[in-house]
Every structure is written in structure tokens, then in C-alpha cells.
Amino acid sequence: MRRMSEEPRTSRIQRQVVQLILDRRLTAGAPLPTEAELMDALGVSRNSVREALKALQALDIVEIRHGYGTYVGRASLTPLVDGLTFRTLARHDDDTAALAEILQVREVLEVGLIRRVAATVTEAELDTLEDVVARMESAAGTGGADTAGPGRSFSDLDREFHEVLYASLGNDLVPQLLAAFWTVFRRVSGARGRPDEPSPETTARRHRDIVRALRARDAEGAQRAMAVHFRGIEARAAEQSRGVG
């Protein structure tokens, strides 16, 4: 019973600390009031303040630097990534379906946004995408990571392609969301020991098809090429779940 009565109070103090950050327009890295100041401002005990701050730290809303103080956090999507990874891996009964769900979210985001990219991507960004695809093709041809760059893999180049692709939208949340779902998918695939992509050669070719359509300012063609790319990943994942290939 004591635990049940404490949880609402901790949640309330968390909301009050967040509201304090917003009211004072504090940005990432800015110092928060001391524990004593928070106790006075919120009218709560030191333990209550510490519990609330620990909970907010887990959400990346605050950062506790022992010996230095508490600061406003980056409010990244790391908690979302960790939670989704655990949720997916915890589905022991049907992890293939759980992986498919993550992939479907990525697909909806990327296929839906690619039409806007066709209207906003610059020639310089297209040149960068061409360069990434060329490095993907080179890395695929050698079957290794050497041509991808020092310490980089084909997967790194794949991720870089998608990051550059949506940069022209000027929406900071888009690359963060895409990176979050990408990371979850990679973590789960790695934990299950399953190759989650078609062959590197096929993947590189599908990325070049996307760039070719964007060069032509063909929004529908770019959308089709992106959909084909995701269908290939889905098909490969399905094959692996059946033990094929």
C-alpha cells in the first residue's frame, strides 16, 4: 500500500520539475536548481526530489552529474529505443511478427515522406547520396567493409544513406524517429542472429533506383523504389523465419 501511495506523488513531482524547466525556458545542458531549492519550490522532501530526478534521468529529461549537480537532459529518444527493443525481444512466442511491426513503422514513415523529399532535395544532397551509393556498391563488390571507410560497414553506409535522404525536409524529429526504429530493428535482428537484409548488391541497386528517381524529380517513382526496397527486407526476414537461404 505504501508503494501505491508514493507513485502518484513521484509522478506529480516529475511533472512539476518538467514544468519548471519549461517555465524557465531552460535548454539542454542548463543547470537545474539545487535539491534544496527544488525542495523549497515544490514543498516536498529531499527523498521525493531525488526519486523524481532519477525517474526523469531515465527519460533523458535531466542529467545527474554526481558531484556537480543536475542539468537539463537532451530529451533524446534513447528511452524509446530501449523500451521498444525490450518489448520486441520479450515477445518470445512470435519475434518474427514483432520484427515485422518495427519494419512496418519504418516503411510507413519512409515511403510516406519520400514524395516530399523529391520536391525538397537539393542537387548537392543528391550528389552526396550518389557518393554513398557508390561506396555501397564498392563495399558490396568486395564483400567487406574496407571500401566503406575506416571502421565502417555496409550497414553504416545504408544508415547514412537514409539519414542524408531525409535531411532536406528540415524536420529534426524525422531523422531521430527513423534512427530510433533503425536501431531497434538492428538490435533485435542481431540478438536473433538473423540477416535482415537482401544481399548487399541488391540493396545497393535498390538505393541507386531511389536516387535515380529523385534525380528525375519523379515522386511516384521514388515512392515505388522505396516500397520495393522495404518489400525486399520483409521478404528476406520472412525467408529467415522459415529457415530458407
Side-chain angles (χ1 to χ4, degrees):
M1 293 298 294
R2 186 178 66 86
R3 179 178 177 80
M4 291 180 63
S5 65
E6 286 180 352
E7 288 178 346
R9 183 170 68 251
T10 301
S11 297
R12 174 174 55 80
I13 298 171
Q14 288 178 49
R15 290 195 297 271
Q16 289 175 321
V17 173
V18 169
Q19 192 60 51
L20 181 148
I21 293 171
L22 297 175
D23 289 344
R24 299 189 182 185
R25 298 180 179 275
L26 301 178
T27 57
L32 283 178
T34 65
E35 286 185 355
E37 291 170 336
L38 288 173
M39 288 166 56
D40 290 340
L42 305 180
V44 296
S45 69
R46 185 179 300 275
N47 283 340
S48 295
V49 168
R50 288 181 175 176
E51 287 301 315
L53 292 178
K54 286 179 182 178
L56 290 174
Q57 180 175 234
L59 297 174
D60 205 17
I61 293 176
V62 306
E63 178 186 359
I64 301 173
R65 304 177 191 173
H66 296 289
Y68 295 93
T70 304
Y71 299 80
V72 179
R74 295 176 297 114
S76 70
L77 297 183
T78 299
L80 172 66
V81 171
D82 292 340
L84 282 176
T85 300
F86 175 78
R87 177 184 182 276
T88 306
L89 289 173
R91 290 182 58 175
H92 306 292
D93 57 329
D94 195 354
D95 51 86
T96 300
L99 265 178
E101 290 177 355
I102 297 298
L103 188 59
Q104 285 167 8
V105 174
R106 274 188 59 199
E107 181 179 0
V108 168
L109 285 171
E110 298 209 35
V111 174
L113 290 170
I114 194 67
R115 293 182 68 91
R116 295 190 180 189
V117 172
T120 59
V121 67
T122 66
E123 290 300 317
E125 287 167 335
L126 286 169
D127 290 342
T128 301
L129 289 170
E130 290 271 12
D131 176 68
V132 176
V133 172
R135 283 184 285 148
M136 290 176 73
E137 291 170 337
S138 181
T142 61
D146 292 343
T147 53
R152 308 200 71 204
S153 65
F154 185 88
S155 178
D156 292 331
L157 292 174
D158 195 352
R159 180 168 183 160
E160 180 182 349
F161 178 91
H162 289 264
E163 289 176 348
V164 173
L165 184 62
Y166 296 99
S168 65
L169 295 177
N171 185 326
D172 291 339
L173 183 58
V174 168
Q176 292 180 43
L177 280 174
L178 294 177
F181 286 106
W182 177 286
T183 300
V184 173
F185 193 77
R186 293 294 178 186
R187 283 185 184 178
V188 175
S189 297
R192 298 304 187 207
R194 292 177 176 171
D196 53 298
E197 294 280 8
S199 69
E201 294 83 0
T202 299
T203 300
R205 183 174 67 251
R206 288 173 177 164
H207 283 71
R208 183 163 291 284
D209 290 341
I210 294 169
V211 177
R212 186 177 296 114
L214 291 174
R215 281 281 189 198
R217 302 295 171 178
D218 180 0
E220 290 187 6
Q223 194 170 46
R224 285 195 301 271
M226 183 63 76
V228 167
H229 173 44
F230 274 96
R231 293 292 180 267
I233 302 174
E234 291 169 354
R236 181 61 176 167
E239 288 176 1
Q240 290 299 317
S241 71
R242 297 192 302 268
V244 179

